[in-house]
Amino acid sequence: MDANPRSLKTIFESQCRYLVPLFQRSYVWNETKQWEPLWEDVQAVAERYLNSADHQPHFLGAVVLEQLHNPTGTLDSRQIIDGQQRLTTLQLLIAAARDLAKELGSPTESRFGFLTMNQLVGDQMEELFKVWPTNVDRPHFQQVMQAGSPTQVRILYKAKSDAPSVKHLIPDAYLYFYKQIKQWLNSDGAEARTKRWEVLQNTIYNGLIIVVIDLNLNDNSQVIFETLNARGTPLLAIDLVKNYLLHQAELEHKPIEELHDKYWLPFDANDKFWRQEIRQGRLKRPRIELYLQHYLTLMVGTEVSATNLFVAFRDHVKANKDKDSEIHLAALRHYGDIFKSFYEQPATIREGLFFHRIEVLDTTTVFPFLLHVFDRLSKPQDDDQRRSVLTDLESFLVRRAVCGLTTKNYNKLFLELKQHLESNSVPILTSVREFLLTQKGDSERWPDDEEFYVAWKTEPVYRRFNQSRVRMLLEAIELAMRTGKTESVALPSNLSIEHLLPQGWGQHWPLPDKPDAKEIRESRLHTIGNLTLVTDKLNSTMSNWPWLKKRDYILEHSVLRLNQLFQKTKEWDEDQIIERGKALFEIAKKVWPRSS
């Protein structure tokens, strides 16, 4: 390979095309992390040119290019192995400068134009552009590069005439640089603008340097791509997987554009969903990385480390040499659709309730098994069996959580459950129940009604659980108490947990004259029998009120079935807490049943 420093003039002025391979990710740079630092670099060079004789160029990093074989009569073309985000952003910055020059009547418009557009030599419209992004970005890039002004960009994206953003990264990058360049040009007044235009042109043409690494024919571009992005990079493991599979497809002489559109486009087109960071334990990770981890765990049958996803995927492909790239792409897409459906279930159906409660419990280790279940039970006639499986799994997880049992063995347990399903021919529901009921150790048993009841009655769940988990338990009870005659009203989002016997009980709640009265009160204060749901405003208003005043206020303002039980309750004490705990348990064991 050859490596040489090149100015933007050298890189972009000649008739050339820099192509982003389909197997690379879409455009992801944003204002805070990349556009602003890049503009600060450009501005710093321009200020040096403006105020001193220091014309030292500024290094912007490196790009790796692979020469492509060009048919006679077509433009010189190179594939961008690394650096597509940088080159795309520079094109948007130069286009912003070009369009601003046109608005202000500056002769530099054509000079900037030479760096953004080729002279067409054929009828291929895409040859007009110096940089040609991956499929999902092409319509946006083409629109912005040809729009001619920020006003037209906003019109194309149906945004307000003065909107700073149209909520898409490519046009937003253009709008950002247009604004920054205009402010910088006018910062010394109209008289100094001509000089600043000359300085900005010189900065863009010669003041910004990129090291261009040109690969030779014998260089393995795939290995180089993986090596460059192995450490210290914003690339995700899934980006490496995409690159790897589509590169393999290219080696297999398959139509990679067709494969990309058929199998991978949904991942790129729905990047707001797939790349959204969601919390798992104490960490936040992009959702698509969680999916890849669950997918690999399902495929290989063992737990896969979050820090080793690409290597694990590559090893998985190599271990299945009988499967070509399309089979792996199809599997990723198939299970990806199933995984996405987990987050799209309506809250009013059993599946939606299950996934909400699993999210609250932060128990996503069950997801590889769920991918398997939803794959096997995907037909309408499977609905009842699938929902029964979810009920059993939810009961298993909720009962263990209430009983304070460990979650550390869940990865292994659910993989063993999947293997159990595959090793016998009985219906899946029967197999799931059989497996869960035969587990006996503390790390895997399904608590029976007696163990569940003792924990339900005595565990200080308010202190042991976070509030979202306590709220989930109480909301589940509330929903179960409703009948066909109850109005179908969604639970409000502003419900908070209220201690019926308040935590600050000293003023209005005297202790009974009994031995160990304080210890008994403290032991029951945070149990489920003493907790209910009210709105935030109702909660803060009642504070530490005495019982009858609190009861009447709750009955006046709350419509929850959970609170209607207090109508005939004339006093509230430690015994009432136990009795209410018993009553709620009778509902809880129906919500989370255990087969015998």
Side-chain angles (χ1 to χ4, degrees), residues 50 185-198:
L50 193 64
L185 286 175
N186 294 324
S187 58
D188 281 346
E191 294 181 0
R193 186 189 298 158
T194 301
K195 176 63 175 176
R196 284 182 172 260
W197 265 124
E198 294 174 358

Side-chain angles (χ1 to χ4, degrees), residues 68 244 285 403:
L68 298 176
Y244 177 75
R285 295 174 59 200
C403 293

Side-chain angles (χ1 to χ4, degrees), residues 97-99 101-103 105-114 197:
R98 176 200 66 196
D99 295 345
K102 179 181 178 181
E103 177 189 323
S106 170
T108 55
E109 176 200 350
S110 59
R111 297 170 192 163
F112 288 130
F114 290 144
W197 265 124

